[in-house]
């Protein structure tokens, strides 16, 4: 993406006249229940030198933290460094279509969980945008795509991050996932014998956290900007929103 658009930092690629980070930052800053906004990236402060993101430097709730090679480790370190960090909403700079309704519904339904993940069902996306290609996770009753929002509800979330960090460090990731969550759950998912909610509950019990899947009714929630075709699609959606 950076090479295609000639912008060395993906978060600063322009979409409908603004850097991606500015769209996400504006959606979060518009909410009174967002008490702080942490921008976590390699050389994070430089992201606010762009004319389109400079306003974030003047927003009193915004802080920046630099990450190293591991985003999972950086998230864990951030949570440990922040007093009263929880609950913590995690999203990505390419989640450009993020809006108030998505945030509101996700946080309301994730409340009470140690860890929650936002997803969109395949039927929801294809009804609104037929032919759009996403990566789908199949379960009994439906297939789902991630919506780039994660809820870290309390200190127990650090246990889930620790498991993911161990997976991240291993070369054979598939084997590491099986080791963390068990081959039994993997086989049930592969055979589509468990629903999404059942799989999340079993995975949570395996690592000792209360885990929840939040399926959002907004097709746009799972459309991030990962490739040039996504970029064109998101620009068109934003133009229609403005109109």
């Amino acid at each position: 993406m950076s090479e295609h658009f000639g912008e060395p930092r993906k978060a600063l690629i322009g979409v409908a006249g603004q850097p991606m980070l500015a769209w996400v930052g504006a959606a979060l800053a518009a909410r009174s229940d967002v008490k702080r906004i942490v921008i976590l990236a390699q050389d994070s402060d430089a992201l606010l030198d762009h004319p389109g993101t400079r306003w974030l430097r003047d927003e009193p709730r915004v802080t920046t933290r630099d990450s190293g090679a591991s985003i999972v480790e950086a998230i864990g370190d951030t949570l440990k460094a922040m007093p009263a960090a929880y609950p913590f909403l995690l999203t990505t700079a390419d989640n450009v279509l993020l809006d108030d309704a998505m945030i509101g519904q996700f946080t309301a339904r994730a409340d009470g969980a140690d860890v929650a993940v936002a997803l969109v069902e395949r039927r929801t996306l294809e009804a609104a945008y037929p032919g759009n290609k996403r990566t789908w996770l199949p379960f009994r009753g439906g297939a789902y795509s991630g919506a780039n929002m994660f809820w870290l509800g309390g200190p127990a979330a650090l246990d889930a991050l620790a498991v993911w960090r161990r997976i991240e460090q291993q070369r054979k990731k598939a084997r590491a996932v099986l080791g963390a969550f068990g081959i039994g759950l993997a086989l049930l998912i592969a055979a589509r014998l468990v629903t999404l909610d059942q799989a999340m509950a079993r995975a949570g019990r395996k690592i000792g956290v209360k885990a929840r899947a939040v399926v959002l009714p907004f097709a746009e929630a799972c459309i991030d900007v990962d490739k040039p075709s996504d970029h064109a699609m998101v620009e068109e959606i934003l133009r229609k929103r403005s109109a």
Side-chain angles (χ1 to χ4, degrees), residues 119-136:
L119 302 110
V120 173
E121 191 173 359
R122 185 171 189 166
R123 285 172 287 196
T124 300
L125 179 70
E126 292 185 343
Y129 302 100
N132 185 258
K133 296 188 183 301
R134 296 283 128 190
T135 299
W136 299 106

Side-chain angles (χ1 to χ4, degrees), residues 140-153:
R140 180 163 64 84
Y144 305 86
S145 185
N148 282 18
M149 279 195 291
F150 308 89
W151 172 269
L152 306 174

Side-chain angles (χ1 to χ4, degrees), residues 1 60 69 76 79 89 98 124 189 191 201 206 241:
M1 287 289 287
L79 291 171
L89 172 68
L98 184 70
T124 300
I189 293 172
K206 180 73 175 177
R241 279 186 183 177

Side-chain angles (χ1 to χ4, degrees), residues 61-107:
R61 290 175 291 173
V62 170
T63 59
T64 59
R65 284 180 62 92
D66 287 348
S67 66
S70 166
I71 188 64
V72 178
E73 185 175 1
I75 293 165
D77 289 346
T78 297
L79 291 171
K80 293 170 187 175
M82 291 170 55
Y86 304 100
F88 193 89
L89 172 68
L90 177 67
T91 190
T92 56
D94 62 359
N95 195 12
V96 177
L97 297 177
L98 184 70
D99 64 17
D100 189 67
M102 296 174 195
I103 298 170
Q105 187 162 144
F106 176 63
T107 55

Side-chain angles (χ1 to χ4, degrees), residues 2 16 22 227:
S2 292
K227 51 187 182 294

Side-chain angles (χ1 to χ4, degrees), residues 38-82:
V38 182
I39 298 173
L40 182 63
Q42 293 168 331
D43 196 15
S44 59
D45 196 56
L47 294 175
L48 306 189
D49 290 334
H50 190 284
T53 57
R54 206 166 287 149
W55 65 271
L56 285 164
R57 197 184 294 280
D58 300 323
E59 164 60 58
R61 290 175 291 173
V62 170
T63 59
T64 59
R65 284 180 62 92
D66 287 348
S67 66
S70 166
I71 188 64
V72 178
E73 185 175 1
I75 293 165
D77 289 346
T78 297
L79 291 171
K80 293 170 187 175
M82 291 170 55

Side-chain angles (χ1 to χ4, degrees), residues 4-16:
H4 181 86
F5 289 100
E7 169 54 63
R9 295 179 173 89
K10 183 187 175 185
L12 298 181
I13 292 172
V15 180

